[in-house]
Amino acid sequence: SSTSTSYVDLGLSASITPSTNSKILAVVNIQSYLQSDNNEGFGIRLKRTPSGGSAATVFTSASKSDVRGFTNFTGEHIEMYVRSAWDILDTSVGGDGSTAITYKVQVANVSSSSITYSKNGNLSSITLLEVAA
């Protein structure tokens, strides 16, 4: 669960060792559980870190409300599971064929309401695919 309106690690990451000058397609699926008496939502950020290197941001969603549950019913409490997917092509990977690169997903909530990720076996995932240069 997260209540942070700043980007925080989701605990979702994967590593790949790409060939020289390859591109990486990251397929990110987030399963979230929204419950609120108000509007709730989140955005994502994808970070890339080469082994022994520093992290670089590959993608940041247009806003923290890219995935939003509109639960604005007076006196009502709404609960919903939301599946959201992003296909992100990282064209500036480089790669040398021997260095592992780790991608990790971060999330930021629209408000400080709690959002639960990967609840009740509805798992989030990240899949990395190497695309030839």
Side-chain angles (χ1 to χ4, degrees):
S1 294
S2 177
T3 59
S4 178
T5 56
S6 298
Y7 284 98
V8 295
D9 290 347
L10 183 59
L12 186 62
S13 66
S15 295
I16 191 168
T17 304
S19 302
T20 304
N21 297 323
S22 289
K23 299 172 186 171
I24 301 297
L25 177 63
V27 180
V28 178
N29 287 289
I30 307 285
Q31 302 288 347
S32 59
Y33 173 70
L34 310 174
Q35 63 171 353
S36 181
D37 297 323
N38 212 335
N39 293 335
E40 206 172 82
F42 66 94
I44 74 161
R45 181 164 64 186
L46 184 66
K47 304 276 281 187
R48 170 187 5 101
T49 307
S51 180
S54 58
T57 298
V58 174
F59 171 83
T60 301
S61 55
S63 73
K64 287 190 249 177
S65 60
D66 272 4
V67 176
R68 176 165 270 199
F70 293 98
T71 57
N72 215 0
F73 299 102
T74 305
E76 296 291 327
H77 183 81
I78 302 297
E79 300 178 5
M80 67 180 104
Y81 287 91
V82 178
R83 178 187 173 277
S84 51
W86 287 269
D87 296 329
I88 303 160
L89 182 62
D90 185 3
T91 59
S92 58
V93 176
D96 62 11
S98 63
T99 302
I101 297 175
T102 300
Y103 289 84
K104 71 177 176 179
V105 178
Q106 297 181 323
V107 292
N109 294 8
V110 170
S111 69
S112 58
S113 296
S114 180
I115 297 177
T116 303
Y117 300 93
S118 299
K119 183 175 180 172
N120 295 335
N122 296 302
L123 300 180
S124 299
S125 66
I126 181 171
T127 303
L128 303 175
L129 303 163
E130 183 172 2
V131 179

